[in-house]
């Protein structure tokens, strides 16, 4: 019995230290990446996870590298999977690791590098667009604004009633027989003038809005309330049709509030007249009307000035036939090729005669983009050729230093400088009166100076018609420009005024396919008795040739056009 007790005690004595000491290994992890210049860069603060793969039920071990890219920990010998829960970003790439390792012996070193990493491209964060109240207001009310066309040019108008009432400036409308509103690049309809006040410079138009189902009504500010419509220093914006553009946003600050007008630094260009001025709440407080060029201060008629005129227009609507919803011709989409214009100047001799001719008491010009470009740049090209004559025979001379056509760049299409349309210009002739010519002739026959020639316009322009075969071609815009002459010198004595006609037509309105093309000009004195001329075949052919580059690029008729297809 005593021997058995001694044996058990011995086993307990020698067994206790063996069971309490567990064998472990030191694992050293070194994470280093090589950059584009082959420099080694430690990977700091990299989290590492080790999962035992040869034994179930063990808890994973974790570690994190220091600023030197090194992590150390003690592990029981065995097989492990080393992985990084979160990738590290380095030079626009993501690096992560998942490798199998065996731990044994006193120390094991594991290298984490470019070679054993899984590499993914870093997806740049998607930037969130900053959309403020101004952006929201523009999106909400841009479809309340449209371009207003008259014989004297264009401006801006905005819808103030679901029935189709549109406010604009009176000077945009003028005494025009032609009125139209254009909603976008393809939709334009006729408009009627219901009421106007020239002193306040406000006009109310009526248009059929059925072709524009997305049109919205601009909210008008309430006047004579406790809260002012706008205050000095408030941010404002307008939407308009400056130059040849449509629905352009312009912002500014109100600098002065008067009883009937507002003044602002907002930029009002030609075409902005008649547009709505919105306050910071997105409510219309006025009509953008004029710009003082000397100070760049813009004047805005306050919206309250239009209320009585709107009431008068609504009353007149009851006894007026509604406007037609028929779409009118618009300028074709696209632009005339700039390269084709430059190439046209390489013609050795450009003949302008097919484009110009006399018709009764009018001088007529049919203007295409090619003719317009030749008139603008032909002189520079001729001068360039003369310059080249001085140097082309000298081998040592520097060539190609003078390139005048470089000024015509692709942005010309955005300002619509060379529009793909036909312009027909009819100018009443200025001639010496019969009595003046007779008196000066008699004086000259007696050797006496008869004084200055007394000049007068022989006629006035009222309107024109272009007929392709037996069909009238609807103009895109029937334009008029005032021609006022007041010249007094020893040679000429003239005080007179008239209108010149400048009508724009679709590019295919004059075509050999028409058969005969007839131009009719009407005067104010005889509005029903035209002076007619059938265009010379050379003129028709030349115009068709001018538009061939545009036709090849885009064969398209403007909506509502009655012109014959080429």
């Amino acid at each position: 019995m005593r021997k058995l007790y001694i044996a058990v005690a011995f086993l307990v004595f020698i067994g206790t230290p063996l069971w309490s000491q567990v064998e472990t290994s030191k694992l050293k992890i070194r994470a280093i990446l090589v950059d584009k210049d082959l420099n080694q860069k430690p990977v700091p603060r990299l989290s590492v996870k080790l999962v035992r793969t040869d034994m179930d039920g063990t808890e994973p071990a974790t570690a994190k590298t220091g600023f030197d890219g090194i992590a150390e920990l003690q592990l029981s010998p065995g097989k492990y999977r080393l992985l990084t829960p979160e990738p590290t970003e380095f030079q626009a790439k993501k690096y992560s690791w998942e490798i199998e390792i065996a731990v044994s012996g006193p120390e094991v070193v594991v290298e984490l590098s470019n070679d054993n990493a899984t590499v993914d491209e870093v997806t740049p964060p998607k930037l969130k667009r900053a959309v403020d109240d101004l952006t929201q207001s523009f999106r909400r009310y841009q479809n309340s604004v449209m371009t207003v066309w008259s014989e004297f040019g264009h401006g801006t108008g905005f819808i103030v009633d679901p029935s189709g009432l549109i406010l604009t400036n009176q000077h945009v409308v003028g005494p025009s027989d032609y009125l139209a509103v254009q909603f976008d690049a393809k939709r334009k309809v006729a408009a009627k003038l219901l009421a106007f006040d020239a002193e306040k410079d406000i006009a109310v138009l009526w248009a059929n809005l059925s072709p524009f189902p997305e049109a919205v009504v601009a909210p008008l500010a309430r006047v004579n309330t406790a809260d002012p419509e706008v205050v000095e220093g408030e941010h404002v914006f307008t939407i308009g049709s400056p130059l040849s553009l449509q629905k352009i946003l312009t912002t500014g600050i109100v600098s002065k509030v008067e009883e009937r007008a507002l003044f602002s630094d907002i930029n009002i260009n030609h075409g902005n007249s008649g547009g709505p001025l919105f306050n910071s709440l997105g409510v219309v407080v006025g009509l953008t009307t004029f710009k003082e060029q000397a100070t760049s201060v813009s004047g805005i008629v306050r919206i309250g000035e239009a209320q009585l005129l709107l009431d008068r227009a609504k009353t007149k609507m009851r006894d007026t036939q509604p406007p037609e919803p028929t779409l009118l011709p618009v300028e074709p989409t696209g632009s005339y090729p700039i390269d084709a214009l430059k190439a046209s100047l390489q013609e050795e001799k450009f003949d302008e005669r097919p484009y110009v001719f006399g018709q009764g008491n009018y001088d007529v010009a049919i203007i295409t983009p090619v003719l317009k470009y030749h008139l603008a740049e032909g002189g520079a090209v001729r001068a360039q050729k003369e310059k080249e004559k001085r140097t082309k025979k000298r081998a040592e001379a520097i060539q190609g230093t003078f390139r005048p056509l470089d000024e015509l760049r692709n942005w010309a299409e955005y300002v619509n400088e060379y529009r793909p349309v036909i312009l027909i210009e009819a100018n009443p002739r200025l001639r010496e009166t019969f009595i003046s010519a007779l008196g000066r002739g008699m004086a000259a026959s007696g050797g006496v100076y008869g004084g200055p020639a007394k000049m007068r316009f022989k006629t006035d322009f009222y309107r024109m018609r272009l007929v392709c075969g037996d069909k009238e071609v609807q103009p895109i815009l029937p334009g008029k420009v005032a021609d006022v002459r007041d010249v007094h010198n020893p040679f000429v004595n003239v005080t007179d005024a008239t209108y010149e006609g400048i009508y724009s037509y679709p590019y295919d309105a004059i075509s050999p396919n028409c058969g005969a093309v007839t131009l009719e000009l009407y005067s104010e004195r005889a509005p029903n008795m035209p002076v007619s001329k059938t265009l010379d075949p050379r003129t028709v052919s030349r115009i068709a040739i001018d538009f061939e580059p545009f036709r090849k690029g885009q064969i398209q008729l403007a909506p509502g056009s009655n012109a014959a297809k080429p």
Side-chain angles (χ1 to χ4, degrees):
M1 185 68 180
R2 188 169 178 272
K3 290 181 178 180
L4 177 62
Y5 174 79
I6 293 172
V8 171
F10 177 76
L11 290 174
V12 171
F13 175 76
I14 65 173
T16 300
L18 292 176
W19 288 34
S20 62
Q21 294 178 3
V22 179
E23 183 180 356
T24 62
S25 297
K26 179 181 178 181
L27 177 64
K28 186 175 183 179
I29 302 169
R30 183 183 293 113
I32 296 178
L33 293 173
V34 178
D35 65 14
K36 296 176 181 178
D37 298 323
L38 302 181
N39 298 314
Q40 293 187 350
K41 302 292 183 180
V43 182
R45 313 303 295 169
L46 177 67
S47 296
V48 180
K49 184 176 181 181
L50 294 116
V51 180
R52 188 84 183 252
T53 59
D54 59 353
M55 182 182 297
D56 295 332
T58 59
E59 289 291 326
T62 60
K64 184 174 290 188
T65 62
F67 290 104
D68 57 358
I70 296 175
E72 295 181 351
L73 70 165
Q74 297 291 131
L75 292 176
S76 299
K79 295 181 179 180
Y80 292 83
R81 178 180 296 112
L82 183 152
L83 53 90
T84 51
E86 296 293 333
T88 185
E89 291 189 14
F90 180 66
Q91 293 189 338
K93 292 182 179 181
K94 290 182 178 181
Y95 293 84
S96 60
W97 290 267
E98 184 172 348
I99 57 178
E100 304 292 334
I101 62 172
V103 177
S104 62
E107 182 175 291
V108 177
V109 178
V110 175
E111 300 281 351
L112 302 182
S113 65
N114 306 64
D115 296 333
N116 59 3
T118 300
V119 184
D120 296 310
E121 297 292 332
V122 174
T123 303
K126 187 175 181 180
L127 299 178
K128 186 177 180 181
R129 191 179 301 278
V131 178
D132 55 15
D133 293 340
L134 176 62
T135 306
Q136 297 288 2
S137 295
F138 174 71
R139 290 177 178 175
R140 186 179 301 118
Y141 297 121
Q142 62 177 326
N143 285 341
S144 68
V145 179
M146 50 187 59
T147 303
V148 177
W149 293 98
S150 74
E151 292 174 299
F152 310 106
H154 77 281
T156 303
F158 55 101
I159 305 168
V160 295
D161 190 89
S163 62
L165 290 184
I166 297 166
L167 274 179
T168 188
N169 283 140
Q170 191 275 334
H171 76 260
V172 172
V173 175
S176 178
D177 292 329
Y178 172 90
L179 291 175
V181 293
Q182 186 169 350
F183 190 75
D184 56 23
K186 295 186 177 181
R187 290 176 292 175
K188 181 171 73 172
V189 296
K192 290 186 176 182
L193 177 64
L194 291 181
F196 72 92
D197 188 323
E199 188 174 326
K200 293 181 178 179
D201 201 3
I202 302 174
V204 184
L205 308 182
W206 187 19
N208 194 315
L209 299 182
S210 59
F212 319 130
E214 63 270 49
V216 299
V217 176
L220 304 184
R222 293 184 178 182
V223 297
N224 299 324
T225 61
D227 293 329
E229 309 113 75
V230 66
V231 296
E232 293 171 359
E234 184 172 353
H235 285 273
V236 290
F237 70 94
T238 186
I239 306 171
S241 305
L243 306 176
S244 60
L245 306 172
Q246 294 182 359
K247 301 191 179 184
I248 300 300
L249 175 68
T250 310
T251 62
I253 296 176
V254 171
S255 53
K256 184 68 174 175
V257 177
E258 297 286 356
E259 182 180 357
R260 292 185 294 273
L262 308 171
F263 296 92
S264 170
D265 63 350
I266 199 165
N267 194 16
I268 299 179
N269 290 305
H270 175 71
N272 273 114
S273 295
L277 186 79
F278 294 89
N279 63 12
S280 58
L281 301 176
V283 177
V284 178
V285 294
L287 292 85
T288 55
T289 303
F290 67 90
K291 180 178 181 179
E292 175 55 52
Q293 298 296 334
T295 61
S296 296
V297 173
S298 297
I300 299 100
V301 176
R302 295 185 69 166
I303 196 64
E305 297 294 293
Q307 190 57 57
L308 292 178
L309 213 59
L310 283 172
D311 294 339
R312 192 192 312 167
K314 291 177 181 179
T315 301
K316 190 175 180 180
M317 284 174 61
R318 302 169 191 162
D319 302 320
T320 305
Q321 189 71 18
E324 294 291 333
T326 307
L327 291 178
L328 301 177
V330 296
E331 289 189 2
T333 57
S335 58
Y336 196 94
I338 301 300
D339 291 341
L341 288 177
K342 292 182 177 180
S344 69
L345 282 184
Q346 302 309 314
E347 294 184 33
E348 193 63 31
K349 291 184 178 180
F350 183 79
D351 189 3
E352 299 177 1
R353 288 175 296 178
Y355 301 95
V356 294
F357 51 86
Q359 186 169 342
N361 289 317
Y362 301 92
D363 291 320
V364 179
I366 300 180
I367 304 171
T368 67
V370 173
L371 175 63
K372 184 177 180 181
Y373 187 51
H374 271 268
L375 294 175
E377 304 295 342
V381 172
R382 289 190 294 271
Q384 179 188 22
K385 291 180 179 179
E386 287 298 319
K387 180 181 184 299
E388 290 172 351
K389 289 179 182 179
R390 297 197 301 270
T391 58
K392 68 179 181 178
K393 294 181 180 180
R394 300 181 64 89
E396 68 274 16
I398 299 175
Q399 307 292 336
T401 58
F402 182 66
R403 299 189 298 271
L405 299 188
D406 285 355
E407 292 302 316
L408 183 63
R409 307 182 192 278
N410 288 338
W411 50 255
E413 66 185 79
Y414 298 111
V415 297
N416 239 1
E417 188 171 356
Y418 295 97
R419 298 171 294 163
V421 297
I422 298 172
L423 293 176
I424 302 182
E425 184 173 337
N427 299 325
R429 288 174 172 171
L430 190 66
R431 292 289 185 267
E432 185 177 5
T433 65
F434 175 77
I435 298 298
S436 173
L438 179 62
R440 286 177 1 100
M442 293 177 63
S445 64
V448 179
Y449 171 59
K454 189 173 184 180
M455 311 288 285
R456 292 289 182 271
F457 287 110
K458 297 290 288 184
T459 188
D460 294 289
F461 176 84
Y462 179 57
R463 65 186 180 96
M464 77 172 64
R465 290 178 74 243
L466 182 67
V467 181
C468 172
D470 58 356
K471 294 182 179 180
E472 180 181 359
V473 183
Q474 291 260 348
I476 297 172
L477 179 65
K480 289 182 179 179
V481 176
D483 187 354
V484 179
R485 306 289 183 92
D486 188 17
V487 180
H488 304 277
N489 57 47
F491 308 101
V492 175
N493 185 353
V494 54
T495 301
D496 204 355
T498 188
Y499 279 121
E500 299 174 358
I502 304 180
Y503 279 40
S504 63
Y505 287 96
Y507 69 92
D508 53 357
I510 297 176
S511 166
N513 295 332
C514 295
V517 180
T518 305
L519 179 64
E520 298 178 354
L521 301 178
Y522 296 80
S523 68
E524 293 179 0
R525 178 178 294 182
N528 299 314
M529 297 177 60
V531 176
S532 300
K533 182 180 180 66
T534 300
L535 299 189
D536 189 289
R538 293 182 305 161
T539 298
V540 175
S541 176
R542 179 69 211 201
I543 292 169
I545 292 172
D546 283 358
F547 283 101
E548 190 62 26
F550 179 77
R551 185 180 288 105
K552 287 180 179 179
Q554 179 181 356
I555 304 299
Q556 177 180 336
L557 285 176
S561 174
N562 295 322
K565 291 184 178 181

